[in-house]
């Protein structure tokens, strides 16, 4: 008992180790959290994202130098205090405060500010030949190609290796357009359209998402950017410009009639039919898309059936009402929608 009271240094030593251990664990956890990411800003696939990643690494490096310096000084203070009964103020204390407390932060902020300006300058608008118009809605993405004059949804196709002009806007609340591997985040504010450029260096599929809380299904507001070799992109563009094929098969014909007479027609458009509402996603080439419901479901017959029957279970609060149909009509509708390639 007496020993514990008069020997404080022996009690303190494990505390310092515990502090060190905790700091190490936190640092390792932070490092590990990056390992599982499917989409990462640290794997840029376009010139804009590459510049942003470079800036991030500089900031990270500077932050680590400062972190190690501060922790080093903290440990020095911890261990030195224990050994000295009386603390004398250090001879160069004032210099230390002015240098470390004023000059160093100003220098660090000046470096980061200059690098940020340099990065922003590198991201300035470029010459483009293709335009994609993206409008965000709760909770899906309307995509329009003014050159081809057609709509699609939740899936943006571009040619790889060249900058593409993106005209971004929101139709309702504030959303945020983010493709981490291609560029930074862009707030989509109603009545405030903005123009950016996006480039994917290599063909591939890049995940995008809404990065601003926009209501209960914010997390289910995803999209993809599909970058093609230029010739394949041209083929995709030609295919999407075509109106939907007029069905000749009796089942598909019945499916089309069901679509045009049920609630579907009030919200969706199918180019080449009388359905031309822009309230919901355009379905002219629905079957050519990878996903349903803004990246929530794989595009297959089972998921399509589930989505039409009960969209409110899959994505509560979205604007699609459940559609109740007689079984044969429902199967015909599914067959028709699946034929829209
Ligand atoms: Cu749209 Cu979050």
């Amino acid at each position: 008992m007496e020993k514990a009271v008069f020997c404080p240094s022996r009690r303190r030593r494990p505390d310092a180790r515990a502090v060190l251990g905790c700091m190490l664990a936190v640092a390792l956890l932070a490092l590990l959290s990056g390992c599982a990411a499917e989409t990462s800003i640290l794997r840029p696939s376009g010139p804009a994202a590459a510049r942003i990643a470079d800036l991030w690494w500089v900031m990270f490096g500077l932050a680590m130098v400062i972190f190690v310096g501060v922790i080093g000084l903290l440990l020095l203070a911890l261990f030195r205090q224990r050994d000295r009964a009386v603390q004398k103020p250090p001879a160069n204390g004032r210099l230390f405060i002015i240098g470390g407390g004023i000059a160093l932060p100003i220098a660090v902020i000046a470096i980061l500010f200059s690098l940020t300006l340099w990065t922003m300058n590198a991201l300035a608008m470029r010459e483009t030949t293709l335009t994609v118009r993206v409008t965000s809605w709760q909770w899906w993405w309307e995509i329009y190609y003014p050159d081809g004059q057609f709509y699609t949804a939740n899936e943006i196709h571009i040619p790889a290796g060249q900058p593409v002009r993106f005209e971004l806007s929101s139709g309702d609340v504030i959303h945020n357009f983010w493709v981490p591997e291609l560029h930074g985040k862009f707030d989509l504010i109603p009545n405030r359209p903005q123009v950016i450029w996006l480039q994917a260096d290599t063909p591939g599929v890049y995940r995008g998402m809404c990065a601003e809380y926009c209501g209960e299904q914010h997390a289910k507001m995803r999209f993809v950017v599909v970058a093609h070799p230029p010739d394949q992109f041209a083929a995709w563009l030609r295919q999407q410009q075509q109106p939907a094929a007029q069905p000749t098969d009796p089942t598909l014909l019945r499916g089309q009639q069901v679509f045009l007479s049920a609630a579907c027609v009030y919200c969706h458009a199918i180019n080449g039919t009388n359905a031309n509402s822009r309230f919901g996603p355009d379905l002219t080439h629905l079957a050519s898309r990878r996903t349903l419901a803004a990246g929530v479901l794989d595009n297959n017959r089972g998921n399509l059936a589930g989505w039409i029957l009960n969209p409110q279970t899959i994505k509560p609060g979205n604007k699609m009402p459940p559609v109740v149909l007689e079984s044969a009509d429902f199967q015909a509708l599914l067959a028709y929608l699946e034929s829209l390639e």
Side-chain angles (χ1 to χ4, degrees):
M1 181 69 188
E2 219 172 285
K3 198 177 177 188
V5 172
F6 291 106
C7 188
S9 66
R10 198 169 288 174
R11 275 190 307 159
R12 235 180 251 160
R13 195 166 294 155
D15 289 352
R17 272 199 216 125
V19 169
L20 260 180
C22 281
M23 288 191 312
L24 199 65
V26 169
L28 285 175
L29 274 177
L31 281 179
L32 279 175
S33 69
C35 298
E38 208 178 300
T39 299
S40 170
I41 63 155
L42 301 181
R43 273 190 311 221
S45 297
R51 290 294 172 91
I52 294 169
D54 288 346
L55 180 64
W56 188 89
W57 279 112
V58 172
M59 289 173 79
F60 179 71
L62 269 174
M64 284 316 288
V65 169
I66 293 166
F67 176 77
V68 169
V70 169
I71 295 301
L73 289 172
L74 186 71
L75 291 177
L76 196 69
L78 266 176
F79 287 111
R80 281 183 69 181
Q81 198 171 17
R82 200 181 57 206
D83 299 335
R84 291 187 181 180
V86 182
Q87 285 289 304
K88 273 195 285 181
N92 49 4
R94 183 177 291 247
L95 193 72
F96 187 74
I97 288 168
I98 292 172
I102 299 173
L104 188 64
I106 288 175
V108 170
I109 290 168
I111 291 170
L112 291 180
F113 184 67
S114 311
L115 283 173
T116 302
L117 288 182
W118 180 74
T119 304
M120 284 168 72
N121 190 43
L123 301 183
M125 197 58 205
R126 295 188 176 183
E127 195 86 17
T128 57
T129 52
L130 177 76
T131 298
V132 181
R133 206 170 282 162
V134 178
T135 309
S136 55
W137 298 95
Q138 282 174 318
W139 294 278
W140 62 284
W141 304 86
E142 181 186 87
I143 318 294
Y144 180 65
Y145 287 75
D147 310 309
Q149 296 193 333
F150 65 85
Y151 286 88
T152 182
N154 309 317
E155 198 170 295
I156 303 167
H157 291 248
I158 57 170
Q162 66 184 68
V164 176
R165 178 186 170 94
F166 273 69
E167 296 176 358
L168 307 175
S169 62
S170 171
D172 42 36
V173 300
I174 300 175
H175 301 268
N176 186 294
F177 178 88
W178 191 30
V179 191
E181 287 160 292
L182 300 184
H183 212 315
K185 294 177 177 176
F186 295 93
D187 267 337
L188 305 184
I189 297 166
N191 304 317
R192 297 283 290 275
Q194 61 178 316
V195 177
I196 63 161
W197 61 277
L198 218 64
Q199 177 177 330
D201 287 335
T202 49
V205 180
Y206 303 96
R207 277 165 27 111
M209 64 208 78
C210 179
E212 175 72 40
Y213 182 73
C214 56
E216 64 182 306
Q217 294 304 329
H218 155 70
K220 291 182 179 172
M221 189 170 167
R222 302 193 280 265
F223 62 97
V224 287
V225 174
V226 185
H228 299 274
D231 54 331
Q232 280 180 25
F233 173 74
W236 178 86
L237 205 63
R238 276 196 302 277
Q239 182 249 338
Q240 294 288 315
Q241 280 174 285
Q242 302 300 317
Q246 182 58 28
T248 46
D249 178 280
T251 308
L252 300 185
L253 206 56
R254 181 174 177 178
Q256 188 189 52
Q257 282 159 2
V258 171
F259 183 90
L260 295 173
S261 55
C264 323
V265 73
Y266 296 118
C267 300
H268 297 282
I270 294 180
N271 210 352
T273 72
N274 290 333
N276 54 16
S277 171
R278 294 278 159 224
F279 192 69
D282 185 292
L283 303 180
T284 308
H285 296 288
L286 172 70
S288 74
R289 303 206 282 258
R290 287 166 167 73
T291 65
L292 302 168
V296 175
L297 301 169
D298 286 337
N299 189 359
N300 58 48
R301 196 179 181 117
N303 284 340
L304 185 60
W307 175 249
I308 295 171
L309 282 173
N310 209 341
Q312 295 302 323
T313 303
I314 295 164
K315 208 165 162 177
N318 88 85
K319 295 195 175 73
M320 169 109 171
V323 178
V324 182
L325 290 168
E326 190 257 308
S327 174
D329 283 349
F330 187 55
Q331 292 305 325
L333 175 67
L334 287 176
Y336 173 62
L337 291 174
E338 282 208 300
S339 76
L340 299 174
E341 284 185 344

